[in-house]
Amino acid sequence: MTYMAIKHLHMTAAGLSILFFIIRAFWSVSGSALLQNRFVRIAPHVIDTVLLVCGLALAGMLGAAAGQPWLITKIVLLVAYIVVGSYAIKRGKTAQSRAWAAVLAVAIFVYIVGVALRHSPGSWFF
């Protein structure tokens, strides 16, 4: 697979990932039973696996061993997004705490997109 094909698959998976996250976070905050649907529980893991595998492939193609600061920033922020996102979907004790976690997770995601597009740890700011 070529670099551009993997990059487009990665970007598509990222778009689907945040879309599914926002929907699931809304359902979590509103207490919807739809959150327990089998497809809803499985699809995000499949999408996120594709996202991660493509990201690792792209990092390998870019020579991630060179320690590119923007790539390291993306990885650190990805871990933060996963932790905060888990509070938004299931670990948050109250609807309000899940809502705040969802807002923070989306903000982290937007920052990650800026890092990816600008190849700068400063994201949209530098």
Side-chain angles (χ1 to χ4, degrees):
M1 211 175 216
T2 68
Y3 177 85
M4 288 307 288
I6 295 171
K7 180 179 176 183
H8 285 293
L9 183 57
H10 180 70
M11 293 185 328
T12 300
L16 289 172
S17 180
I18 193 64
L19 177 64
F20 268 92
F21 173 78
I22 290 169
I23 291 168
R24 290 169 53 228
F26 175 77
W27 287 341
S28 177
V29 170
S30 65
S32 175
L34 291 170
L35 200 55
Q36 300 309 315
N37 181 293
R38 184 173 183 192
F39 176 78
V40 173
R41 287 185 289 125
I42 294 171
H45 297 295
V46 173
I47 293 166
D48 291 344
T49 298
V50 170
L51 178 63
L52 183 59
V53 168
C54 288
L56 291 172
L58 291 169
M61 291 177 173
L62 289 173
Q68 300 175 22
W70 69 272
L71 199 50
I72 294 166
T73 301
K74 272 185 72 172
I75 293 166
V76 169
L77 289 171
L78 175 63
V79 171
Y81 170 73
I82 291 168
V83 170
V84 173
S86 73
Y87 279 90
I89 302 296
K90 54 182 138 179
R91 294 181 196 260
K93 303 282 187 217
T94 65
Q96 185 178 17
S97 66
R98 290 190 305 273
W100 280 110
V103 169
L104 182 56
V106 171
I108 292 169
F109 185 90
V110 170
Y111 197 91
I112 291 170
V113 170
V115 171
L117 292 175
R118 299 185 60 133
H119 288 194
S120 167
S123 185
W124 303 103
F125 303 107
F126 304 105

